[in-house]
Amino acid sequence: MRTFKLLIDGQLVDGASTLDVINPATGEVLSACPRASAAQAEKAIAAARKAFPAWSARPWKERSALLLKIADALEGAIGELSPLLTQEQGKPRFGADFEVHESARILRIFAAMEMEDKVLHSGPDGRAIETRSPLGVVAAITPWNFPLILLCNKLGPGLLTGNTMVLKPAPTTPLTTLVLGEICQRLLPPGVVNTIVDQNDLGPLLTQHPDIAKVAFTGSTATGRKVMASSADSLKRLTLELGGNDAAIVLDDADPAEVAPKIFMGAMFNSGQICAAIKRVYVADSLYDAMCEQLAQIASATVVGDGLDPNTQMGPIQNKVQFEKVKSYLDEARTRGKVLAGGKPLERPGYFIPPTIVRDIPDESRLVQEEQFGPVLPIMRFSDLDDAVARANNSEYGLCGSVWGKDGQRAFEVARRMHSGTVWVNKTLEINPNYPFRGAKQSGIGTELGLAGLEEYTQAKVINVAA
Ligand code: NAD
């Protein structure tokens, strides 16, 4: 394994210390990784601040062209990035390839966006124009489930609009972010992008810092609350993309054989470690047994293993803390519900939990109420549609949701009633970078992706001119 460096002020540098990155498929150390000190974080912020005037003055088209170059370089490095992502995150190679390509696609989609001045009024009495300008230094703080995609969701709009950035990945998946930093070092002026790695200790430094104008955060709702509190003093701009406990409602006219594979994928892709994954399923009474049966069959046939093995369909849980958490849901599933497939961690090194299907578990159970963020799916029964909608909405979360049924219009009307930022009908997990993505309730604040997401990296200003 080669060495990795932080990127601070255009220089690839060692950390003040190191931390070990664990391969979740083996439980063993994959690589040492540089760890930044508070002084290095300060240096990164100062470098970004110094780089801001020149970068924000560059024409939009030049920044867009540089984003395209980063996208090309990312895809050009897929031979290194994809296996590295598999080894630090756990996902199978096809998932890692997807993530690298999708990250490049996100950057390209942003690079194509334009932000024109809006004419609010124009007449004999004068005109009013709304313009937008960049904010300054943006801190991008990301979690461990999609280290590259979630970073590019921030890097694309942040750079395009003229901000400079300090990127801080999760301590368990920092390596691919550092490779992206190397790419930025080759392509961008010093200080425009900086990468620092911490051991969950430098987040507050970033979120409180007077020279950080905006925090773009993706992570858990618990940490999101801390970010919001600590950035209150300087009233920072915030985007919080937080947790979810997304419900799927399967209506009585759905075909179990047709929808079960899609629901399974929506719940289990990336070993269930997706904010927008299906995390609980409500099935109409008449289809309940058939749906449970179909899902259990697919789960039992799934090949779980090291993501580097080309036969693997599902990799491990990303880290030990999360592994222990998901195991506690398995314990509950066995005692309060009926486990149809999976149910026990694999007896091998690494953090493996097979896809687990649980039926007849009460709504009050932790598995239904909380965000499991792992491959353990509870299936509940309903006989009254209003009741199903109420139960789906009975959550502090409101990220996404899905409705399944042959009558598309009826399913659409049910989708309207769900309290979430995105609801899919007869599909799931289609996160399109052209569409705004946002959480309702405690799933987040603000918008990521789409033109609305781009605007969140800017300050709007109305210029009101007399005739
Ligand atoms: P986490 O909240 O533990 O960590 C996220 C990031 O925050 C990490 O980089 C971490 O180092 C940093 N952090 C920790 N303490 C901090 C503090 N006090 N101040 C600032 N930053 C701090 O989340 P996780 O466990 O890495 O990720 C899983 C969670 O992320 C799940 O809840 C999932 O639903 C959510 N998520 C949400 C989205 C979305 O778009 N809504 C996408 C992916 C994941």
Side-chain angles (χ1 to χ4, degrees):
M1 185 62 63
R2 43 90 126 203
T3 54
F4 297 88
K5 305 273 186 189
L6 309 174
L7 173 60
I8 299 176
D9 202 9
Q11 304 293 315
L12 295 170
V13 297
D14 288 328
S17 58
T18 62
L19 57 83
D20 285 339
V21 176
I22 306 294
N23 179 343
T26 61
E28 285 169 9
V29 176
L30 169 67
S31 172
C33 172
R35 175 178 170 188
S37 60
Q40 286 180 309
E42 290 285 357
K43 242 180 129 177
I45 296 167
R49 193 167 177 219
K50 191 174 71 187
F52 176 70
W55 179 250
S56 56
R58 295 272 286 258
W60 186 278
K61 278 205 158 54
E62 282 183 30
R63 294 195 301 255
S64 161
L66 282 165
L67 265 193
L68 292 176
K69 282 194 176 168
I70 298 173
D72 290 346
L74 255 184
E75 270 181 335
I78 194 168
E80 179 186 16
L81 272 172
S82 178
L84 184 63
L85 185 54
T86 291
Q87 290 173 90
E88 73 169 353
Q89 203 283 332
K91 61 188 70 196
R93 284 297 306 279
F94 68 85
D97 284 350
F98 162 78
E99 179 157 358
V100 176
H101 287 303
E102 184 66 9
S103 301
R105 187 172 86 100
I106 290 163
L107 295 181
R108 292 190 183 113
I109 285 176
F110 275 114
M113 288 186 189
E114 312 240 336
M115 194 174 265
E116 305 290 339
D117 285 354
K118 274 186 205 147
V119 180
L120 304 179
H121 174 74
S122 177
D125 56 338
R127 62 203 169 95
I129 311 289
E130 186 182 79
T131 66
R132 288 184 173 269
S133 45
L135 297 167
V137 181
V138 174
I141 302 178
T142 42
W144 43 257
N145 57 339
F146 286 91
L148 283 177
I149 285 179
L150 296 169
L151 196 59
C152 289
N153 282 352
K154 300 165 179 55
L155 192 69
L159 292 185
L160 182 66
T161 49
N163 300 281
T164 54
M165 302 187 76
V166 177
L167 316 180
K168 196 208 78 60
T172 57
T173 54
L175 302 178
T176 45
T177 298
L178 296 183
V179 176
L180 180 60
E182 291 171 10
I183 290 171
C184 291
Q185 195 252 354
R186 290 200 301 275
L187 295 172
L188 299 175
V192 171
V193 166
N194 304 269
T195 57
I196 57 170
V197 174
D198 71 341
Q199 187 70 271
N200 276 332
D201 54 331
L202 294 178
L205 187 152
L206 295 173
T207 57
Q208 286 165 15
H209 203 287
D211 291 339
I212 299 277
K214 173 185 167 89
V215 177
F217 174 85
T218 301
S220 62
T221 295
T223 312
R225 286 190 195 105
K226 290 187 198 160
V227 170
M228 195 168 182
S230 79
S231 52
D233 274 352
S234 49
L235 285 178
K236 285 191 201 326
R237 299 303 177 260
L238 282 181
T239 316
L240 301 178
E241 292 291 343
L242 308 178
N245 189 10
D246 297 354
I249 298 181
V250 183
L251 302 173
D252 56 8
D253 61 345
D255 174 358
E258 196 187 317
V259 305
K262 295 177 186 166
I263 288 182
F264 184 82
M265 192 281 292
M268 302 294 181
F269 189 64
N270 212 43
S271 300
Q273 302 165 116
I274 307 186
C275 54
I278 295 172
K279 298 197 173 110
R280 46 199 174 114
V281 187
Y282 297 90
V283 183
D285 218 7
S286 57
L287 306 180
Y288 186 70
D289 290 338
M291 272 299 295
C292 290
E293 182 68 17
Q294 292 274 346
L295 288 165
Q297 269 177 24
I298 303 168
S300 301
T302 302
V303 181
V304 181
D306 187 331
L308 288 180
D309 180 340
N311 295 319
T312 293
Q313 294 172 311
M314 185 186 285
I317 300 297
Q318 199 279 319
N319 58 71
K320 181 119 189 356
V321 173
Q322 185 62 20
F323 179 60
E324 296 301 330
K325 186 174 159 200
V326 178
K327 279 204 299 190
S328 78
Y329 292 115
L330 289 181
D331 294 341
E332 190 197 37
R334 279 193 300 268
T335 52
R336 300 193 73 183
K338 189 167 168 212
V339 175
L340 298 181
K344 281 201 294 265
L346 300 190
E347 285 180 15
R348 58 178 279 180
Y351 312 136
F352 291 96
I353 291 183
T356 297
I357 304 296
V358 186
R359 62 173 285 168
D360 300 324
I361 185 158
D363 276 16
E364 300 70 43
S365 60
R366 283 177 54 233
L367 179 60
V368 179
Q369 292 294 315
E370 298 176 5
E371 181 186 39
Q372 68 274 49
F373 219 62
V376 186
L377 186 64
I379 321 291
M380 282 72 66
R381 179 197 294 273
F382 73 84
S383 47
D384 175 71
L385 182 54
D386 290 342
D387 175 54
V389 172
R391 287 157 73 195
N393 285 336
N394 181 22
S395 171
E396 69 179 23
Y397 294 112
L399 192 57
C400 302
S402 55
V403 186
W404 305 79
K406 283 228 160 68
D407 180 343
Q409 189 53 36
R410 178 172 168 240
F412 181 86
E413 293 305 330
V414 176
R416 266 190 198 285
R417 297 169 61 194
M418 291 176 80
H419 302 161
S420 303
T422 299
V423 185
W424 290 286
V425 174
N426 290 324
K427 59 178 168 180
T428 181
L429 284 187
E430 189 197 283
I431 298 175
N432 185 327
N434 285 301
Y435 305 161
F437 186 78
R438 51 175 80 98
K441 299 189 272 184
Q442 295 193 35
S443 285
I445 298 234
T447 303
E448 192 156 83
L449 302 177
L451 206 51
L454 188 70
E455 287 181 347
E456 295 226 356
Y457 286 80
T458 63
Q459 174 63 50
K461 172 170 63 184
V462 173
I463 305 180
N464 198 336
V465 186

